[in-house]
Amino acid sequence: MQLLPTLRRRDSGFLPTWPDFDLLEDQMHRLARNLPWAASAGEGSIWAPRVDFAEQNGEYVLTAELPGIEPKDVDIEMDGNILSVRGERKVETERGDQRVRIAERQYGAFERSFTLPSPADPEKIKADFHQGVLKVRIQKRPEAKGRKIPVQAT
């Protein structure tokens, strides 16, 4: 009986060949969510929104999924080259005789911090929030943009 995935050499490196590895990983995540110190779906839990960080058109763009959060509940701060996004998703109050059968959504405060590359200009940051998606645009400093150097014959 083999308990660990075997590894075989491929051009791109070592790859697991055990077909049930994803299933095991999913079960471990489910188990971790049920531990007493793990974040729960209730008020005061800790969660982190999903983000993308991209470079395009001479700027960096941070995109964060924040469904169910009001723009007034989001705080963006720049300290040196650290960009921090904080906020809170408030718990929806139950109404009348409603009984919750499944509660998987997470509520509470969150904070994500990112170290920006040195060409980022902390003075030129814009943020917009549309349909639950936060976009933070950070311009690059002009001197950070590439330029062609002409070669001269001597």
Side-chain angles (χ1 to χ4, degrees):
M1 176 192 322
Q2 186 174 5
L3 297 177
L4 297 174
T6 58
L7 299 174
R8 70 180 141 162
R9 183 86 169 121
R10 295 237 177 132
D11 292 337
S12 61
F14 291 99
L15 298 174
T17 59
W18 190 24
D20 295 329
F21 190 72
D22 290 337
L23 177 62
L24 176 63
E25 185 179 24
D26 289 342
Q27 290 172 345
M28 290 174 60
H29 285 290
R30 258 195 307 265
L31 175 64
R33 280 195 302 263
N34 294 327
L35 294 173
W37 56 82
S40 66
E43 185 173 6
S45 67
I46 299 171
W47 67 282
R50 305 271 185 193
V51 300
D52 291 337
F53 189 81
E55 182 178 351
Q56 63 187 35
N57 302 327
E59 66 183 2
Y60 299 106
V61 180
L62 175 76
T63 305
E65 294 178 350
L66 302 174
I69 298 177
E70 295 293 326
K72 65 180 177 58
D73 294 326
V74 177
D75 180 40
I76 303 169
E77 188 175 293
M78 185 78 173
D79 185 12
N81 66 335
I82 307 292
L83 177 73
S84 297
V85 179
R86 295 178 191 87
E88 183 176 3
R89 182 182 294 153
K90 306 221 189 292
V91 176
E92 296 176 4
T93 57
E94 295 185 25
R95 296 183 184 136
D97 61 350
Q98 176 188 28
R99 292 188 324 191
V100 176
R101 302 289 183 172
I102 298 174
E104 294 180 344
R105 298 180 348 184
Q106 293 181 316
Y107 299 94
F110 68 87
E111 179 176 353
R112 299 288 308 264
S113 294
F114 306 91
T115 302
L116 297 179
S118 59
D121 189 346
E123 301 301 318
K124 294 186 178 175
I125 299 177
K126 295 179 185 174
D128 62 73
F129 196 92
H130 181 67
Q131 294 185 342
V133 177
L134 172 69
K135 283 197 185 243
V136 181
R137 299 179 184 282
I138 306 113
Q139 294 289 317
K140 287 183 177 181
R141 290 186 182 102
E143 66 271 10
K145 295 180 182 170
R147 63 182 180 95
K148 287 198 172 224
I149 314 283
V151 178
Q152 304 205 357
T154 55

